[in-house]
Amino acid sequence: MCGICGFIKFRQDGVSDADLMKLATRLLQATQSRGKDATGHCWLNSYGELTVAKAPVMAYRFVEMPEFQRIGFEAMPKIWLGHCRAATSGHPENNQNNHPIFSKKSGMAVVHNGIVRTDKQYKKDAEVDSEDILRAIEAKFGTTEERIIKGCRDLSGSITFGLISQEEPGKLFLARHRNPMSLALLEEQGLIVFASTQEIIFEAMAETEMLYGFFEKRVDPYSPIFQEQGEDS
């Protein structure tokens, strides 16, 4: 079991950079309950360049490290993804196995919670099945959304993830299949926050006065974009 979290700021005014930094910190700390073997995050900087930092440490230590604090050195990103890992395959000391999984070639990064299966044989840098998501999407053509849909048709398992891309720096892409994900809207702040569970968002928002509500519409976890490959698909 791993935990994913993040946010997208869709309005210029509203929430301050200082509050966004606190939110990112608290989201990772709250997500630590789902994974203590490694922590990481990613964002697109002011030049639209993908930036990734991760380490084989718990979230409470990671948020005190330069790898996390660097996001405060310039304007806070409008889109941010975080991950806390509970390792199953691929040792955390090999940082390529930790999330976010990213590709300099495609300019994409993904944070994933679940188990991925595929019949495809992709050339990979790490030892984790989560990389199959990124490679499946990279292998397709079209917009980022079209590539995600086409790539997921080659995958089965429990596939819940967040993705950002240099090609479309103003968009946050989320997909949920079997494993949980909750989204909260902070309308006055022009912000959408997501996490693996509502409880993580409750905890992260506990010390703030910002008002929020949850998206209640449920997406069919057996969406046909995911290829059915037997009982475990």
Side-chain angles (χ1 to χ4, degrees):
M1 179 177 68
C2 297
I4 62 176
C5 58
F7 60 72
I8 177 169
K9 182 180 178 181
F10 58 84
R11 207 172 66 211
Q12 285 295 105
D13 58 346
V15 63
S16 67
D17 282 0
D19 284 338
L20 280 179
M21 184 69 172
K22 291 178 183 177
L23 178 60
T25 302
R26 291 169 179 160
L27 279 170
L28 279 178
Q29 290 173 333
T31 304
Q32 178 178 289
S33 61
R34 295 181 64 88
K36 299 180 180 180
D37 294 316
T39 310
H41 66 156
C42 64
W43 68 97
L44 297 171
N45 64 22
S46 57
Y47 301 101
E49 300 168 335
L50 178 65
T51 308
V52 177
K54 49 188 175 178
V57 297
M58 292 190 296
Y60 271 84
R61 181 181 172 193
F62 184 79
V63 297
E64 298 176 350
M65 296 170 64
E67 287 86 344
F68 178 77
Q69 296 292 330
R70 62 187 292 192
I71 59 173
F73 294 162
E74 55 179 271
M76 281 292 292
K78 295 180 180 179
I79 303 174
W80 173 86
L81 300 178
H83 188 277
C84 291
R85 182 178 179 223
T88 52
S89 62
H91 201 283
E93 291 300 325
N94 178 357
N95 212 26
Q96 287 185 318
N97 292 326
N98 300 324
H99 293 231
I101 305 294
F102 70 99
S103 168
K104 293 182 179 179
K105 180 180 178 180
S106 66
M108 293 182 185
V110 64
V111 292
H112 167 240
N113 172 36
I115 298 173
V116 182
R117 301 182 183 90
T118 181
D119 293 331
K120 304 289 184 179
Q121 297 295 320
Y122 300 110
K123 183 179 179 181
K124 302 199 306 187
D125 298 323
E127 306 162 300
V128 292
D129 57 0
S130 298
E131 188 176 351
D132 288 325
I133 298 173
L134 184 63
R135 301 308 172 198
I137 293 168
E138 283 184 321
K140 306 302 180 180
F141 297 95
T143 65
T144 304
E145 181 178 354
E146 290 169 343
R147 295 172 79 181
I148 290 172
I149 293 172
K150 293 174 184 176
C152 285
R153 287 177 179 148
D154 292 334
L155 307 172
S156 63
S158 50
I159 308 169
T160 297
F161 65 88
L163 180 145
I164 56 175
S165 171
Q166 288 183 164
E167 291 187 356
E168 299 188 64
K171 294 183 179 181
L172 166 64
F173 299 91
L174 300 175
R176 175 184 175 270
H177 182 64
R178 293 182 180 255
N179 277 7
M181 179 190 294
S182 292
L183 288 83
L185 172 65
L186 290 74
E187 191 167 7
E188 292 185 3
Q189 287 76 25
L191 194 68
I192 293 175
V193 178
F194 80 92
S196 289
T197 66
Q198 288 189 1
E199 289 73 21
I200 289 172
I201 297 177
F202 284 139
E203 184 175 342
M205 301 290 290
E207 298 179 19
T208 179
E209 295 182 356
M210 293 186 288
L211 300 177
Y212 62 97
F214 288 102
F215 289 82
E216 292 298 336
K217 182 178 179 180
R218 300 297 181 186
V219 177
D220 180 6
Y222 298 95
S223 168
I225 71 168
F226 294 94
Q227 180 179 339
E228 293 297 331
Q229 297 182 0
E231 294 181 357
D232 295 330
S233 60

